Amino acid sequence: MQAMKQAPRHRQRGMSFIGVVLWGFIIVALAIVGSKAVPIVIENMNIKKAAVKAARQGTTVQEVRAIYERSQAIDDMTSVNANDLEVTKDTDGKIVVSYSYERDIPLYGPAFLVFRFNDSVK
């Protein structure tokens, strides 16, 4: 009987245990930062939506701020108050509402992730 020939062994492929642990650490760190960043981004979208509504419905500075305050009370936005809004008119006579603010997420020790928002809506 002939001896069976063994197929040549190929080098194993895949990730080592250390590689899996490192990728797991990176994914967990990104998930933690993401879970803290998502509410900030959602709040900015609500602020922009309220500013657009105020710019479209208001005709005076007081009306724009009052409309924004009502939306602020409903959506519980704390980063931009009605007094922080800059209300102007453009050359076409449309109301322009501008705002800017920043929020930060403490990461570790003196390291922070800073979000700076600066927008102008009509």
Side-chain angles (χ1 to χ4, degrees), residues 45-64:
M45 291 184 339
N46 289 337
I47 289 170
K48 184 172 184 172
K49 182 176 71 172
V52 168
K53 180 180 177 182
R56 289 185 181 160
Q57 293 180 359
T59 56
T60 65
V61 174
Q62 291 80 15
E63 284 180 5
V64 169

Side-chain angles (χ1 to χ4, degrees), residues 1-15:
M1 205 164 154
Q2 276 187 336
M4 296 180 100
K5 292 185 178 180
Q6 291 184 347
R9 289 189 174 193
H10 292 287
R11 189 163 177 231
Q12 289 184 350
R13 296 180 186 200
M15 292 178 51

Side-chain angles (χ1 to χ4, degrees), residues 53-94:
K53 180 180 177 182
R56 289 185 181 160
Q57 293 180 359
T59 56
T60 65
V61 174
Q62 291 80 15
E63 284 180 5
V64 169
R65 290 191 173 152
I67 293 167
Y68 180 83
E69 281 179 346
R70 285 193 294 271
S71 296
Q72 181 184 15
I74 293 170
D75 289 333
D76 193 31
M77 300 175 291
T78 58
S79 295
V80 177
N81 295 323
N83 293 333
D84 298 333
L85 299 176
E86 286 185 34
V87 182
T88 58
K89 287 190 176 185
D90 66 358
T91 55
D92 298 335
K94 290 185 177 182

